[in-house]
Amino acid sequence: MTPPPPADLFKKLRVDGAVLLGGRLNQHWLVDSGRERLVLRRWSQPVAEIEYELRLLGSVAALGWPVATAVDGPVEMAGHWWSLFPFLPGEPPSVEDPVAEQRARGRLLAEFHGSLTQLSGFGQRRNWRRCEEILGDPTLDGVLAQHEAERPEEVRILRWHLDRSRERVAGLRLQDRPGIIVHGDFAPWNLRFKNGALSGILDFELAHWDHRIGDFALSWRGKYDEVIHAYAEVSPLEPEEWELITPLWWAGLVDAACQSLVQGVQDDGWIIRKLLQRSPLMGPDSRDFLCSNGR
């Protein structure tokens, strides 16, 4: 159970009420400041990470996109950092027609990226790596070898996808390709619409510098193909980018799995399920996302 914010914090920030909204890494509460509704965030990151995200939110807002920039904080109390943000009204997009939702989101992501290319001065976020750095890391092989005896099937699947990804990107010179800041989780639950118009983009806690198609990872999730096709209709992908989609996705999953192995965290199977979503390991009727024209 998530403990409530400390009472002294409400006095300091001059807010009251607290309805837990939840969150994955950061936690959020809906609070009141006079007649205004605000969102109180308890950060899970160190202060340097907080400053990175706050600066990014300010820059994205300056480009005209509806994101919440901090109205107070960060302040430190009870061992955590806290900030206040405006509440962004609206509802997530309807998913009654999944194809229509995916296509609308893909077009919106392409437009969003068009603006994000204007941002400068942002380096890489702490603990993030582009896929070429992940695939070139020999310590991953050591981690898999170390845990092979205890988890033979899981390691077999992880090693196959790691090796396959390395083969697929060989010769692409990924380190020479440009990058942009990506959102990191451009999913329906992180978008808000009001009266048919975009009213909010939420959750920048995974935003980082990457290949632009790095944003396909959690917006595509190995199965929402129309996100990618609609994106390409607005902002065409280069042949190398089509080639990179699947190995980039696999590289991030394998890296996350290896981190869990090192930390001794028992994965609930999500990573392996996602690896096998479109994997040739599942048989001849399953193919990964690879075609010169993306189809």
Side-chain angles (χ1 to χ4, degrees), residues 54-92:
L54 291 177
R55 186 162 61 92
L56 175 59
L57 289 169
S59 297
V60 174
L63 294 173
W65 290 89
V67 300
T69 57
V71 297
D72 204 343
V75 299
E76 188 177 17
M77 187 171 291
H80 295 282
W81 289 94
W82 309 79
S83 293
L84 278 175
F85 294 88
F87 175 77
L88 298 180
E91 299 294 331

Side-chain angles (χ1 to χ4, degrees), residues 51-193:
E51 292 171 351
Y52 181 102
E53 187 167 329
L54 291 177
R55 186 162 61 92
L56 175 59
L57 289 169
S59 297
V60 174
L63 294 173
W65 290 89
V67 300
T69 57
V71 297
D72 204 343
V75 299
E76 188 177 17
M77 187 171 291
H80 295 282
W81 289 94
W82 309 79
S83 293
L84 278 175
F85 294 88
F87 175 77
L88 298 180
E91 299 294 331
S94 171
V95 293
E96 291 184 5
D97 184 340
V99 171
E101 186 282 319
Q102 291 173 45
R103 292 190 59 78
R105 184 156 43 95
R107 291 191 295 269
L108 180 62
L109 180 58
E111 295 170 8
F112 189 40
H113 280 181
S115 291
L116 293 180
T117 59
Q118 302 175 50
L119 298 182
S120 61
F122 287 92
Q124 184 57 284
R125 195 166 193 163
R126 187 179 67 95
N127 294 332
W128 282 93
R129 302 187 291 178
R130 295 213 308 185
C131 68
E132 61 267 28
E133 297 175 84
I134 296 172
L135 297 176
D137 184 357
T139 64
L140 299 182
D141 302 272
V143 170
L144 294 178
Q146 182 180 357
H147 294 272
E148 188 166 15
E150 63 188 77
R151 301 184 186 180
E153 183 61 15
E154 179 181 350
V155 168
R156 182 187 74 85
I157 293 171
L158 292 170
R159 181 179 285 121
W160 189 94
H161 288 89
L162 176 60
D163 292 343
R164 171 78 170 181
S165 297
R166 286 168 170 167
E167 293 171 3
R168 288 274 293 273
V169 304
L172 292 184
R173 298 186 61 82
L174 299 181
Q175 68 277 7
D176 296 334
R177 296 195 62 84
I180 65 170
I181 294 295
V182 299
H183 178 273
D185 194 9
F186 207 78
W189 48 84
N190 285 327
L191 301 174
R192 294 293 182 270
F193 291 84

